[in-house]
Amino acid sequence: MLLTRESVIRLMCDAASMTTATPYDDDRARFSRRALARLVLCDQARGLSDAAAGLAVTRYDEFCGAGGRVSEAAAVAGHADRLVTAAVVYERERGSSWADIGRYLHLGAAAAQQRFGSAVQQWRSAFDVPYRLDEQGRKRVPQLPTAAYDPVSAIRRLDLWADVRLGFDDRHAVSGGLQPDPDGEEQEEEQGWPETVGTELDGRIRLAQRGVFLDLLSEYALHRPADRARDVVARAMQGGGEGGGGWYTYTMDGIFETLDVRLAVDGDLVSVVVAGAHSPVLRLQVATLLDAFA
């Protein structure tokens, strides 16, 4: 049998998908599958909330074209459908029967399984192959929902969202309950979300965008130095930084809060640790910057 070039690439991609470690394997290993399903449900709930919020505002109705609000409402309905599917997946991981699930959807057990069984199977199969490579064999295409594929980033984003949007006086409103079932298997007992130390937020950004990152961070911190932060940091780090491992610390004295920004260059990337962001809004802004420039 003669294989075409496309067939060979597809076979190579499938083989790589089965054998190559994924970028977030260690992060996912901290959580039980049930906890990851709950995290996906959290993320879908956030998406529905954000989508529905726009429909509550009337100020810009005059700029909305004919049928525009119906389009928005239909998008919200789509979010609601995905939310229900995520809830079903979570309930199955939690041990609920199809009869338990169908009762609240006005469906019999068989009808509920027929409607959602493929989604549950797809969810479980994705843990065997968390991603596949695209047809060129270059880009990873996650098979798991984003929140389950990269749970650490999702948790940081959702905890901040709950703090800012929902007003909970709890920095771990989402992550605090993501512990494995105490009746679950022994290997899952140590999984869960580790506590965040202090107010530190960290990430890695591209060196070429360090200046823009610092400019925006200065704006968010209400830091108005005589010399721009990007220029001060660039000059200092050209000399090798300070402290062990080439780390340089720059302090942003804002009107309300003071940030200590630690940076270390590693090739084309810069490791960044931002400490001192206490308000939920500023923490969300810092986390968003780190995600945007990653």
Side-chain angles (χ1 to χ4, degrees), residues 258-271:
T258 298
L259 300 181
D260 287 323
V261 186
R262 301 198 300 276
L263 308 100
V265 176
D266 180 14
D268 294 331
L269 298 175
V270 180
S271 296

Side-chain angles (χ1 to χ4, degrees), residues 89-157:
V89 170
Y90 168 67
E91 287 295 338
R92 288 296 292 166
E93 292 293 0
R94 188 185 179 196
S96 298
S97 69
W98 286 113
D100 294 329
I101 293 168
R103 183 180 306 116
Y104 295 99
L105 298 173
H106 306 291
L107 296 172
Q113 183 174 7
Q114 182 177 11
R115 180 174 173 182
F116 296 103
S118 60
V120 174
Q121 182 58 43
Q122 182 179 1
W123 159 260
R124 292 176 176 173
S125 298
F127 283 90
D128 296 326
V129 185
Y131 77 89
R132 293 189 181 278
L133 299 179
D134 64 10
E135 293 184 356
Q136 286 71 41
R138 298 176 181 176
K139 183 179 179 181
R140 291 184 173 96
V141 181
Q143 303 301 294
L144 283 166
T146 302
Y149 185 72
D150 182 7
V152 171
S153 294
I155 281 173
R156 182 172 64 182
R157 184 176 65 253

Side-chain angles (χ1 to χ4, degrees), residues 207-292:
L207 178 60
Q209 295 184 329
R210 180 182 61 188
V212 178
F213 173 85
L214 290 170
D215 287 345
L216 290 171
L217 188 59
S218 294
E219 287 294 322
Y220 292 150
L222 301 179
H223 174 60
R224 303 289 189 271
D227 292 331
R228 292 189 306 173
R230 66 155 66 199
D231 297 329
V232 175
V233 171
R235 288 195 299 267
M237 297 192 75
Q238 283 177 354
E242 64 180 21
W247 285 91
Y248 172 75
T249 300
Y250 178 83
T251 300
M252 293 186 174
D253 291 315
I255 296 176
F256 301 107
E257 299 184 61
T258 298
L259 300 181
D260 287 323
V261 186
R262 301 198 300 276
L263 308 100
V265 176
D266 180 14
D268 294 331
L269 298 175
V270 180
S271 296
V272 182
V273 179
V274 181
H278 296 281
S279 72
V281 172
L282 184 56
R283 290 205 310 274
L284 180 59
Q285 290 171 327
V286 173
T288 301
L289 270 184
L290 289 168
D291 286 342

Side-chain angles (χ1 to χ4, degrees), residues 11-253:
L11 289 171
M12 292 174 63
C13 291
D14 288 342
S17 299
M18 295 296 293
T19 60
T20 306
T22 61
Y24 307 105
D25 282 347
D26 291 340
D27 292 337
R28 282 196 302 275
R30 300 179 184 180
F31 302 93
S32 64
R33 201 166 64 185
R34 168 180 167 174
L36 290 173
R38 185 64 177 93
L39 183 59
V40 172
L41 178 56
C42 295
D43 196 38
Q44 290 294 344
R46 176 207 55 80
L48 176 61
S49 175
D50 289 346
L55 280 171
V57 178
T58 64
R59 184 172 297 279
Y60 306 107
D61 282 356
E62 62 183 292
F63 303 108
C64 185
R69 294 307 188 199
V70 173
S71 173
E72 293 180 43
V76 172
H79 277 283
D81 288 340
R82 291 190 290 275
L83 179 65
V84 171
T85 299
V88 170
V89 170
Y90 168 67
E91 287 295 338
R92 288 296 292 166
E93 292 293 0
R94 188 185 179 196
S96 298
S97 69
W98 286 113
D100 294 329
I101 293 168
R103 183 180 306 116
Y104 295 99
L105 298 173
H106 306 291
L107 296 172
Q113 183 174 7
Q114 182 177 11
R115 180 174 173 182
F116 296 103
S118 60
V120 174
Q121 182 58 43
Q122 182 179 1
W123 159 260
R124 292 176 176 173
S125 298
F127 283 90
D128 296 326
V129 185
Y131 77 89
R132 293 189 181 278
L133 299 179
D134 64 10
E135 293 184 356
Q136 286 71 41
R138 298 176 181 176
K139 183 179 179 181
R140 291 184 173 96
V141 181
Q143 303 301 294
L144 283 166
T146 302
Y149 185 72
D150 182 7
V152 171
S153 294
I155 281 173
R156 182 172 64 182
R157 184 176 65 253
L158 289 167
D159 270 339
L160 288 169
W161 174 84
D163 201 357
V164 173
R165 291 290 299 273
L166 304 182
F168 282 102
D169 187 18
D170 182 355
R171 290 184 56 202
H172 302 286
V174 172
S175 62
L178 292 180
Q179 299 299 324
D181 188 343
D183 297 326
E185 297 181 5
E186 182 177 352
Q187 63 265 29
E188 294 184 345
E189 291 181 358
E190 298 300 322
Q191 296 173 1
W193 174 241
E195 285 293 315
T196 301
V197 178
T199 58
E200 289 189 352
L201 296 166
D202 61 86
R204 288 163 69 85
I205 65 174
R206 291 181 288 277
L207 178 60
Q209 295 184 329
R210 180 182 61 188
V212 178
F213 173 85
L214 290 170
D215 287 345
L216 290 171
L217 188 59
S218 294
E219 287 294 322
Y220 292 150
L222 301 179
H223 174 60
R224 303 289 189 271
D227 292 331
R228 292 189 306 173
R230 66 155 66 199
D231 297 329
V232 175
V233 171
R235 288 195 299 267
M237 297 192 75
Q238 283 177 354
E242 64 180 21
W247 285 91
Y248 172 75
T249 300
Y250 178 83
T251 300
M252 293 186 174
D253 291 315

